[in-house]
Amino acid sequence: MNEPTLALVNPEYHGLSRIADRAAWALIISGMGIVLIYWLGNYQTYSVLTFLLSMVLITTGALWLYLLRYRRIPAGIQNNGIWHDGFTSRGIAGWILSLVLTGFYIILYWFPHVIGYGENGNSGLVKLFDPLSYFLKGSRASQWFVYGVLYTWTILLMGVRFIIKYRHVKYQQWRTLSVIFFQVIFAFLLPEELTSLNLPFNDFKNIWPLNYYFFFSWHIDEMILHGTFGYFVLFWGIICVVVLTPVLTYFFGKRWYCSWVCGCGGLAETAGDPFRHLSSSTLRSWKVERWLIHFILIWVVLMTVMVLFTGWTGRAEFLFLNSYKLSQWYGFLIGSAFSGVIGVGFYPLMGSRVWCRFGCPMAAILGVWQRKASRFRITSNGGQCISCGNCSTYCEMGIDVKSYAQKGQDIVRASCVGCGICSAVCPRGVLRLENASVDIHQRGEIIRHNKI
Amino acid sequence: MSVVIIGNGIAGSTAARSIRRHSNAEIIMISEETEYPFSRTALMYIFMGHMKWDHTLLFEKSFWKKNKIQLIHAKVNRIDTSTSCITLSGGENLSYDQLIIATGSNPVIPEQHWIALRGVQCLYHRADLIQLEARAQCGIRHAVIAGGGLIGIELAEMLHSRGIPTTFLVRENSYWGNVLPEEESFMISRHIRSMGIDLKTEEEIDRVEGLTDVQAVITKKGEKINCDFVGITMGVHPQKKLAVEAGIECNIGILVDEYLRTSDEKIFAIGDCAELRRPAQGRRAVEAVWFCGRTMGTIAAANICGQRKQYKQGIWFNAAKFFNIEYHVYGYVPVRDDTTESLFWMDDAGIRSIRLVYDKQSCKILGFNLMGIRYRHELCEFWIENQTNLREVVTHLPLANFDPEFSDSFEIEILQKYNQQFNDQAFLLADRRLDDVAKYIRQKQMQ
Ligand SMILES: Cc1cc2nc3c(=O)[nH]c(=O)nc-3n(C[C@H](O)[C@H](O)[C@H](O)COP(=O)(O)OP(=O)(O)OC[C@H]3O[C@@H](n4cnc5c(N)ncnc54)[C@H](O)[C@@H]3O)c2cc1C
Ligand code: SF4
């Protein structure tokens, strides 16, 4: 009588699951341990077994962990404790992770020998990936191959996590399957396959100006050298810019690219998901965002024009501009430092879309289309909003969704990538992503007309 | 002109904002709770770690300064209607040309001495959340929630998020059985239990035991439940103390006319604390919900700015979330009413349902009750307002769906129910597109 039905209470707090959790973690950690030992031990021969073992351990560990964690919790929004956990709320763990990621990118871009990439032969971490590289394209791994594998693998693993986490929202599942598909096939397997066929490396979904070197003369020359295939790449690249981008954005908004196809978006949506709420949604950050992203857009356009100009005329200088300097600095500052080091390294500090929001020139162009010529909008459901703020908090682009929703307005913002999480986390079912040609004012007119 | 607003909840804040839109009057908004207006409905999410305090602010802090709305963090002790003056807790006096009372509610506490015990509390104000957090930090081994309304279930979810074993006492024979139709009420009861909450129905708190800290709850049926936390969530009542003392006419709440004016013509009352002298038929005089406070805020503002606008209760709607099940309601959805009938569908898992309530005689649609499915406000309201025939609604139901893209659709199931019930062969005539919704409404108006 004294302890009422305690047996029933809180079924998810099972000691057993804790043990299983630990076992899953043990798998992940031992897999990482193997990688580390191999890396630091600096073995000179590659080992298929070591590679497979570490990958399998980490993958099974991670999948098992998600399954355990989410099998215990019924389908629904899983944001409990996000702001209590230092890892996801800029605590010490978050800072450490940020340091590690940033460090990894710095090594990758500028000191690849640290992870074992050598001119005459690999060692360490890069060597670990040699077996896969030989298997896929018949040559040894480079630091970029290692990066590609890790990137794809992360999207895959964290993508599965995301799909399980949002198993009650089909939009989220399809979207995640799509980014996984485009990453695995278009960004990873296909380009590697091309190289093994002695064709130039190409990612068909990497569109100018995200792919800022598309119009560089070395790139154009290389393509032309490869005849039909090269011409196709150039043709496709231009079609993407002038036809695909505006048309698809008109019908679906920029989400067709940013949260369904793009690789940067893919990583942000999957690996970045635990940090999405760290994007600032203040008016000030919106201001900074608009300045910065349009500045970079102008830079990339100028640079491209200059590079083409140099290609035609042979002259590098025009007025005060120098095409080599422009592109060199762009490559260093934006292409590497911003999109990589800060873009991913700062996930645990500034949210998952730092690059997409403040830096990506492709997002800027898509944004212009989205705001000026698109059917895409997020609609608010009448008067149901209770101003709770979940939507703004979990917007990875730092859009203050609530400020629109509480006034019952449509949300048409250049930066919205259409991830749909605001709609998922809203406890009152207020938000819906829609493709439509009538905005709230027109709908308001229609209803007001009725009342007269 | 100087407008003083007492209370910075959704009602007060909306009024301040709307007055600023129409006029450049001096606006002063006073609250004893916080300096900056925040969303009371978000309190639970702070506790559960979904959000930080700053996320729940209604507007960025700079908003108020930019709009020249002065915020004062103080308690109002007295309203003097003869001199048009209020007294703040610091002793300062402020005079007003127009006064808006938006003091919200207070939680109902059957016995004041209960909350003198440590570990017994309500959940309404920010201070309550701070108190709860402190208690939870010390560790709660077993919690009891007394009273099964919307705040009760939110408190249950909060405690559950920290893994605190919880007993939930509700008076009806199922959760919210006095508001929800039986099927929905049982559905939510099952859902609460599936979360591991010990839901006890037809059970009420009789008294609490303990010396300094609470030790047990004794229920009306005589059961003793050992616990170190008790949440009292037995409803709210209007916070009318200031008005009563100032001699303003009050009943349950502060009485207001269609223009939201109190018995003193310089004073308006809005939000939870206001009671309508003449409520619409079938509606309550005090409706303590978010959207009513917001609507009243805009109406009072319009009246203060010289437009004459009446507050109309309109077509009822609301939403809530019971753990993972979202709830939408539009129009009239009775627990029991012999003049109405309903089409009801529930999925196999028992976590989603649709109910269309219609008039038995005329077959006109009266209301929508949805669990785990979102419906479009504008269309539901349009249908109800225009007394649309059930057949018309059922055949165009996809237009009303507001679930995210790719979601499962259940319109066909409802249609089949309809065909069975009415021996009809109706089929679906619409899709889920927003463009079609606009087109549909326009077409209907042409007719
Ligand atoms: C936990 C919780 C969840 C809720 N969830 C929902 C929901 O999901 N949907 C919904 O529709 N409704 C919900 N409600 C109800 C909703 O919050 C209220 O209807 C709404 O907040 C009322 O707004 P208001 O502006 O009238 O009053 P309040 O928000 O209560 O604001 C009144 C303010 O006035 C201040 N005040 C009072 N007296 C004085 C004085 N003498 N001097 C100075 N200041 C004073 C108070 O401190 C308070 O800050 C919820 C309520 C709670 C407590
Ligand atoms: S999450 Fe929903 S209810 Fe909360 S502020 Fe956003 S739109 Fe409004």
Side-chain angles (χ1 to χ4, degrees):
Chain A
M1 186 92 183
N2 283 348
E3 293 299 330
T5 47
L6 263 181
L8 234 184
V9 166
N10 286 292
E12 72 243 44
Y13 281 79
H14 283 323
L16 194 67
S17 319
R18 292 242 175 95
I19 294 169
D21 265 8
R22 286 199 191 130
W25 272 113
L27 287 185
I28 297 175
I29 290 168
S30 50
M32 288 183 167
I34 293 176
V35 173
L36 207 68
I37 291 168
Y38 191 87
W39 177 358
L40 300 180
N42 234 335
Y43 297 101
Q44 292 307 310
T45 49
Y46 70 71
S47 153
V48 181
L49 192 67
T50 318
F51 175 74
L52 283 181
L53 192 65
S54 57
M55 295 292 124
V56 168
L57 280 176
I58 298 177
T59 311
T60 9
L63 294 181
W64 188 14
L65 194 68
Y66 310 146
L67 282 177
L68 277 177
R69 185 167 300 168
Y70 294 119
R71 244 200 23 202
R72 256 177 280 152
I73 305 174
I77 293 304
Q78 332 258 295
N79 289 336
N80 287 349
I82 295 267
W83 286 98
H84 298 152
D85 183 348
F87 184 66
T88 49
S89 64
R90 298 191 197 102
I92 294 171
W95 278 89
I96 292 176
L97 179 67
S98 179
L99 265 168
V100 170
L101 286 173
T102 315
F104 176 76
Y105 272 89
I106 291 176
I107 290 172
L108 182 75
Y109 280 111
W110 297 295
F111 309 100
H113 58 273
V114 176
I115 48 171
Y117 177 73
E119 295 290 320
N120 310 313
N122 296 336
S123 58
L125 187 64
V126 181
K127 183 123 203 138
L128 182 68
F129 289 81
D130 271 354
L132 184 63
S133 186
Y134 278 113
F135 175 72
L136 284 175
K137 56 179 177 179
S139 58
R140 74 189 172 99
S142 67
Q143 81 271 37
W144 298 118
F145 179 78
V146 174
Y147 180 51
V149 176
L150 289 180
Y151 198 102
T152 309
W153 192 41
T154 308
I155 290 190
L156 198 68
L157 282 187
M158 292 299 279
V160 172
R161 168 188 171 278
F162 193 86
I163 289 175
I164 298 175
K165 179 175 171 187
Y166 288 100
R167 61 191 182 279
H168 59 301
V169 190
K170 290 232 166 97
Y171 179 75
Q172 299 304 338
Q173 299 188 314
W174 282 112
R175 189 169 70 75
T176 309
L177 284 175
S178 170
V179 290
I180 293 176
F181 169 81
F182 279 102
Q183 177 60 33
V184 174
I185 306 297
F186 281 82
F188 183 65
L189 288 180
L190 195 62
E192 298 300 350
E193 188 59 29
L194 290 177
T195 5
S196 77
L197 295 174
N198 271 329
L199 290 168
F201 180 96
N202 190 52
D203 175 352
F204 284 94
K205 62 166 184 50
N206 195 6
I207 302 174
W208 180 91
L210 179 57
N211 177 359
Y212 59 91
Y213 57 74
F214 186 82
F215 293 105
F216 284 7
S217 31
W218 66 258
H219 184 247
I220 296 185
D221 291 346
E222 189 188 350
M223 289 303 145
I224 291 175
L225 209 69
H226 277 93
T228 325
F229 176 79
Y231 282 110
F232 175 71
V233 169
L234 291 177
F235 172 75
W236 171 250
I238 292 169
I239 288 289
C240 281
V241 179
V242 298
V243 181
L244 221 54
T245 303
V247 170
L248 287 178
T249 310
Y250 172 75
F251 284 108
F252 306 111
K254 89 198 238 188
R255 56 181 168 155
W256 77 266
Y257 193 69
C258 295
S259 62
W260 282 75
V261 171
C262 177
C264 307
L267 194 71
E269 293 295 343
T270 52
D273 177 64
F275 310 107
R276 57 169 51 252
H277 52 284
L278 299 173
S279 314
S280 162
S281 57
T282 57
L283 280 173
R284 221 187 67 193
S285 60
W286 185 15
K287 205 184 242 170
V288 171
E289 165 192 319
R290 277 177 299 175
W291 275 101
L292 208 52
I293 199 169
H294 291 121
F295 168 74
I296 293 172
L297 176 62
I298 291 169
W299 186 352
V300 86
V301 172
L302 260 184
M303 172 182 87
T304 305
V305 173
M306 281 299 293
V307 165
L308 289 174
F309 170 79
T310 307
W312 276 317
T313 64
R315 274 173 52 200
E317 309 265 344
F318 182 75
L319 298 176
F320 56 92
L321 299 169
N322 177 307
S323 64
Y324 294 115
K325 286 238 166 74
L326 268 180
S327 41
Q328 242 172 16
W329 280 104
Y330 188 92
F332 171 71
L333 277 180
I334 310 299
S336 314
F338 200 159
S339 77
V341 182
I342 298 178
V344 179
F346 282 25
Y347 272 11
L349 303 179
M350 292 175 67
S352 51
R353 287 274 190 176
V354 184
W355 160 248
C356 314
R357 190 180 168 197
F358 296 103
C360 178
M362 178 71 186
I365 292 188
L366 287 161
V368 173
W369 286 121
Q370 171 154 297
R371 211 155 54 85
K372 300 286 179 205
S374 171
R375 293 160 57 87
F376 174 72
R377 67 199 62 249
I378 302 176
T379 55
S380 305
N381 200 9
Q384 292 281 25
C385 174
I386 53 165
S387 307
C388 70
N390 274 299
C391 51
S392 300
T393 307
Y394 287 89
C395 176
E396 54 185 352
M397 295 304 277
I399 298 173
D400 192 357
V401 185
K402 170 179 73 175
S403 67
Y404 301 84
Q406 66 187 358
K407 297 183 206 146
Q409 289 174 344
D410 282 0
I411 298 136
V412 181
R413 272 279 288 268
S415 60
C416 176
V417 292
C419 69
I421 292 296
C422 56
S423 160
V425 298
C426 174
R428 298 294 177 266
V430 175
L431 304 160
R432 186 171 197 261
L433 279 56
E434 326 220 31
N435 308 312
S437 57
V438 281
D439 68 18
I440 179 71
H441 301 293
Q442 292 160 324
R443 298 199 322 269
E445 288 288 291
I446 297 171
I447 291 193
R448 268 194 294 276
H449 171 75
N450 159 58
K451 290 208 165 142
I452 295 166
Chain B
M1 183 171 70
S2 129
V3 182
V4 174
I5 303 169
I6 309 176
N8 69 355
I10 184 63
S13 303
T14 310
R17 208 159 59 78
S18 319
I19 295 172
R20 179 52 74 239
R21 215 167 330 126
H22 300 301
S23 117
N24 49 19
E26 183 191 11
I27 305 172
I28 301 171
M29 186 158 65
I30 309 162
S31 168
E32 62 172 324
E33 192 173 13
T34 56
E35 180 175 5
Y36 293 100
F38 75 102
S39 174
R40 192 172 306 294
T41 51
L43 285 176
M44 65 182 291
Y45 298 108
I46 300 175
F47 184 83
M48 301 203 310
H50 293 204
M51 284 192 280
K52 303 272 271 190
W53 178 253
D54 273 358
H55 293 122
T56 68
L57 295 180
L58 286 182
F59 292 92
E60 263 187 55
K61 288 181 178 168
S62 59
F63 174 88
W64 302 101
K65 198 164 187 177
K66 224 183 282 168
N67 285 286
K68 294 207 217 59
I69 294 168
Q70 193 190 339
L71 303 178
I72 298 180
H73 188 181
K75 184 175 161 75
V76 176
N77 277 347
R78 214 168 79 87
I79 303 172
D80 187 341
T81 51
S82 59
T83 57
S84 296
C85 198
I86 60 167
T87 312
L88 301 186
S89 43
E92 197 186 336
N93 283 330
L94 278 175
S95 62
Y96 61 82
D97 295 318
Q98 304 273 356
L99 180 70
I100 300 180
I101 306 179
T103 46
S105 301
N106 264 340
V108 172
I109 304 160
E111 304 278 348
Q112 283 300 326
H113 64 262
W114 289 359
I115 55 164
L117 283 179
R118 264 206 302 263
V120 183
Q121 67 164 95
C122 308
L123 180 69
Y124 188 89
H125 290 107
R126 183 182 184 213
D128 300 328
L129 189 75
I130 294 170
Q131 191 185 344
L132 172 59
E133 181 65 53
R135 189 78 188 173
Q137 296 271 329
C138 298
I140 298 174
R141 268 167 302 141
H142 194 99
V144 174
I145 299 172
L150 290 174
I151 299 179
I153 198 167
E154 285 191 1
L155 185 56
E157 189 175 350
M158 290 158 76
L159 296 168
H160 177 264
S161 78
R162 302 261 180 115
I164 298 168
T166 302
T167 302
F168 189 12
L169 307 179
V170 309
R171 194 170 48 196
E172 289 71 27
N173 76 344
S174 57
Y175 172 77
W176 226 25
N178 54 334
V179 177
L180 295 174
E182 191 175 277
E183 286 87 349
E184 283 93 328
S185 178
F186 276 107
M187 168 198 273
I188 302 302
S189 304
R190 273 196 309 273
H191 188 60
I192 294 172
R193 292 204 169 101
S194 79
M195 289 291 166
I197 305 288
D198 175 27
L199 176 71
K200 289 193 190 295
T201 53
E202 295 181 309
E203 193 55 303
E204 276 178 84
I205 186 168
D206 185 55
R207 57 185 195 277
V208 293
E209 285 185 352
L211 296 168
T212 54
D213 283 53
V214 61
Q215 284 168 343
V217 161
I218 313 292
T219 68
K220 288 242 161 103
K221 286 186 187 161
E223 188 179 350
K224 178 175 176 183
I225 306 169
N226 289 334
C227 60
D228 47 3
F229 177 85
V230 179
I232 309 282
T233 55
M234 305 170 80
V236 296
H237 57 71
Q239 164 73 285
K240 61 182 173 188
K241 188 163 164 278
L242 275 177
V244 172
E245 287 168 2
I248 297 166
E249 224 178 295
C250 293
N251 179 32
I252 305 169
I254 307 170
L255 286 168
V256 294
D257 61 13
E258 290 74 28
Y259 304 98
L260 303 177
R261 212 182 284 268
T262 62
S263 57
D264 183 310
E265 62 162 18
K266 279 186 165 182
I267 303 179
F268 292 79
I270 55 176
D272 279 17
C273 66
E275 176 183 350
L276 300 176
R277 282 181 199 273
R278 286 171 288 275
Q281 199 204 347
R283 294 285 289 272
R284 274 171 307 166
V286 180
E287 288 178 331
V289 293
W290 190 259
F291 86 89
C292 291
R294 195 177 51 208
T295 319
M296 285 182 170
T298 56
I299 300 289
N303 285 320
I304 282 178
C305 296
Q307 307 163 18
R308 272 178 76 76
K309 258 199 186 158
Q310 292 193 352
Y311 174 69
K312 299 220 174 71
Q313 281 173 303
I315 292 191
W316 172 255
F317 68 91
N318 207 359
K321 195 171 178 187
F322 309 111
F323 284 86
N324 290 324
I325 301 183
E326 286 176 18
Y327 158 66
H328 276 193
V329 59
Y330 298 103
Y332 179 60
V333 179
V335 180
R336 218 169 290 103
D337 179 346
D338 290 340
T339 65
T340 69
E341 190 86 61
S342 60
L343 277 185
F344 179 76
W345 167 87
M346 185 179 350
D347 71 345
D348 294 333
I351 51 169
R352 276 191 277 223
S353 71
I354 303 174
R355 175 187 300 276
L356 309 187
V357 180
Y358 58 91
D359 187 274
K360 219 186 220 169
Q361 258 179 351
S362 63
C363 279
K364 306 271 192 243
I365 190 83
L366 297 172
F368 299 81
N369 208 46
L370 304 138
M371 293 288 174
I373 290 169
R374 303 170 173 178
Y375 267 21
R376 223 181 265 283
H377 191 171
E378 61 199 80
L379 188 60
C380 292
E381 189 176 280
F382 178 82
W383 275 334
I384 297 167
E385 210 166 28
N386 292 290
Q387 307 191 334
T388 312
N389 191 286
L390 182 66
R391 189 177 204 270
E392 170 77 19
V393 172
V394 168
T395 50
H396 291 85
L397 211 49
L399 293 175
N401 188 285
F402 199 73
D403 282 336
E405 293 149 294
F406 302 104
S407 298
D408 296 335
S409 73
F410 312 101
E411 287 86 25
I412 206 84
E413 278 83 353
I414 287 286
L415 187 79
Q416 281 164 355
K417 293 255 166 192
Y418 173 84
N419 283 340
Q420 266 171 25
Q421 206 153 321
F422 289 86
N423 208 359
D424 198 340
Q425 273 138 25
F427 46 88
L428 288 181
L429 297 168
D431 230 338
R432 279 188 177 182
R433 281 189 299 266
L434 175 58
D435 272 355
D436 294 350
V437 177
K439 219 183 287 165
Y440 172 79
I441 294 182
R442 198 176 291 148
Q443 256 173 21
K444 286 285 140 195
Q445 281 160 0
M446 302 285 196
Q447 289 170 11

